[in-house]
Amino acid sequence: MSEELYRPGLEGIIAGETEVSTVEQDSLAYRGYRIEGLAEHASFEEVAYLLLEGELPTAPQLADFRKRLDQHRAIQPEIVETVRMIPKSVGGMDVLRTGVSMAGHFDVAKGDERPALVERAIHALAVVPSIIAARLRLLDGKEPIDPKPGLSHAAQFLYMAFGKAPSELEEKLLNLTLVLYAEHEFNASAFAARVCASTLSDLYSAMVTGIATLKGPLHGGANEEAMKLISRFKSGDEAKAWTEEGIKNKAKIMGFGHRVYKNGDHRARILEPLMADLARERNQQAKLDVYFAIKNTVFDRKQIHMNVDYPCGLTYYLMGLPIDIYTPLFVASRVSGWAAHYIEQYTNNRIIRPRSRYVGPALRDYISVSERG
Ligand code: ACO
């Protein structure tokens, strides 16, 4: 190769063009709409429509979109039976990877034109909360609950998981985290999904690729790890002492740091005050003390900011959700971003096939087994 451009982890490399979102130090925007405005005003369904179709929906378009989501929410008995057969010890993301793969066998559209791709995306989006809720109930020895048409994406999940309509506050907070999690440019899982799309593989395969990639603790798995960390300490002092020692020993503190953001993550800043209000309302000041002790110590000692997974882990905990579904709930949102990337790549494609720099042994001759020492 004459011109060689290489950076570990592809840091700073422009790996493609996108109209879906922009991630900058001073702004995050989905199709040109700043995250602050969307977080304050939009339902997750509006955001998902925006990502998939490029524009915010009109009232009739939104009603139609919600209706189509509702039409796809019920999962086939075969999917329920598959989820039932998975050993109880298997984690939520692994179950979801299997469940979404299985849902792909019940394709809802014909052909590969844009409308068919969007319909598959809506199907994939609709079944994720149903699979997570079914798994939760089966683990608890209960049967899954049928979806209730008319509920929001957030409320639908809470209804199917717990069998009762959520409070206004719970629905609002879950909706907010779904809006914040929906899309984030060329992050690892979206990029992996785009690589899959670039081979002209199907949309469900790309969603499974996204789930498998998001699962890792350096990516979406961090919201679960962050909450496990917060849960280890009884007081802010204890958390501070551990964090200081951890930083000295070069430990990775989950929920902190970001490849792009060096001055803080817009999404974390939006979520934190609402999470803190919820903590006070639920008399969980001790958890909040631990949260701020870790956050302040990481910043004082390393000048590293929290990312969205840090306040999100505690938000879900305060809502009473089990830790194992925090990253699956990230998927319940991010399918919208992955699908938008899938469609963008698939409909304007060139296969993604970079080069590597070879650093192995120099060329050498084959030696037969009998002559090898
Ligand atoms: N805890 C402790 N030190 C850290 C952390 C952290 N969470 N994050 C970065 N650092 C350190 C690095 O070790 C490095 O230190 P050094 O210079 O002494 O070697 C320095 O900060 C710079 O790291 P970066 O080059 O900025 O990190 P990179 O871009 O390679 O990785 C990543 C980004 C993976 C997010 C990293 O910060 C990390 O592992 N964080 C913890 C996991 C996490 O929270 N992931 C969620 C990301 S957001 C999302 O996926 C929704």
Side-chain angles (χ1 to χ4, degrees), residues 1 3-7 9-10 13-16 191 194-196 198-199 345 350-358:
M1 270 187 288
E3 244 184 274
E4 195 180 270
L5 180 60
Y6 167 61
R7 288 203 203 119
L10 302 184
I13 303 282
I14 302 298
F191 189 60
R194 284 190 82 120
V195 171
C196 183
S198 84
T199 69
Q345 181 71 42
R350 186 156 189 228
I351 191 167
I352 298 172
R353 201 301 186 195
R355 296 296 313 274
S356 63
R357 177 191 289 168
Y358 179 69

Side-chain angles (χ1 to χ4, degrees), residues 27-279:
S27 69
L28 162 63
Y30 299 166
R31 298 211 183 259
Y33 290 99
R34 280 183 187 276
I35 192 66
E36 287 79 4
L38 294 171
E40 192 173 348
H41 304 292
S43 65
F44 171 73
E45 293 86 324
E46 279 176 88
V47 166
Y49 184 100
L50 170 70
L51 293 170
L52 292 172
E53 299 287 10
E55 295 296 336
L56 283 168
T58 61
Q61 285 168 337
L62 182 59
D64 177 64
F65 188 70
R66 287 185 199 273
K67 203 167 115 199
R68 284 154 75 198
L69 274 168
D70 276 345
Q71 280 164 357
H72 293 312
R73 284 201 191 280
I75 49 173
Q76 279 73 13
E78 291 88 338
I79 300 177
V80 174
E81 289 319 305
T82 303
V83 170
R84 197 192 300 276
M85 283 190 301
I86 299 174
K88 289 194 166 182
S89 57
V90 171
M93 284 297 274
D94 295 334
V95 174
L96 200 52
R97 192 188 58 219
T98 300
V100 171
S101 184
M102 187 80 183
H105 302 317
F106 300 92
D107 195 358
V108 294
K110 285 204 168 44
D112 289 317
E113 298 305 315
R114 204 173 191 288
L117 302 182
V118 171
E119 204 57 32
R120 282 188 195 110
I122 295 173
H123 175 219
L125 193 56
V127 296
V128 169
S130 311
I131 296 168
I132 306 170
R135 172 66 171 177
L136 268 185
R137 293 187 68 81
L138 291 169
L139 280 180
D140 212 16
K142 298 175 183 152
E143 284 306 299
I145 293 179
D146 288 337
K148 189 171 175 179
L151 295 181
S152 69
H153 199 60
Q156 188 69 252
F157 164 72
L158 294 167
Y159 169 75
M160 284 190 287
F162 303 111
K164 58 181 172 62
S167 71
E168 214 173 289
L169 180 65
E170 286 165 344
E171 180 178 359
K172 185 180 151 200
L173 270 172
L174 184 56
N175 180 74
L176 173 62
T177 64
L178 297 178
V179 168
L180 297 176
Y181 267 148
E183 159 58 14
H184 217 226
E185 197 225 41
F186 273 35
N187 57 84
S189 56
F191 189 60
R194 284 190 82 120
V195 171
C196 183
S198 84
T199 69
L200 300 186
S201 186
D202 69 288
L203 182 132
Y204 299 101
S205 297
M207 299 304 104
V208 173
T209 302
I211 293 170
T213 313
L214 189 76
K215 177 188 160 187
L218 296 191
H219 195 6
N223 62 6
E224 296 183 8
E225 296 305 319
M227 191 57 227
K228 286 182 200 161
L229 179 64
I230 292 171
S231 300
R232 282 166 64 168
F233 309 110
K234 290 201 173 52
S235 68
D237 287 347
E238 210 184 293
K240 184 175 179 207
W242 181 91
T243 310
E244 279 181 339
E245 201 52 31
I247 298 272
K248 254 192 245 158
N249 297 326
K250 294 208 165 277
K252 267 270 154 88
I253 318 289
M254 293 305 173
F256 291 85
H258 197 271
R259 171 57 62 79
V260 181
Y261 297 132
K262 298 304 171 197
N263 307 324
D265 180 332
H266 310 285
R267 303 163 299 176
R269 274 198 293 261
I270 293 170
L271 183 57
E272 186 178 77
L274 288 127
M275 178 280 295
D277 285 348
L278 181 66

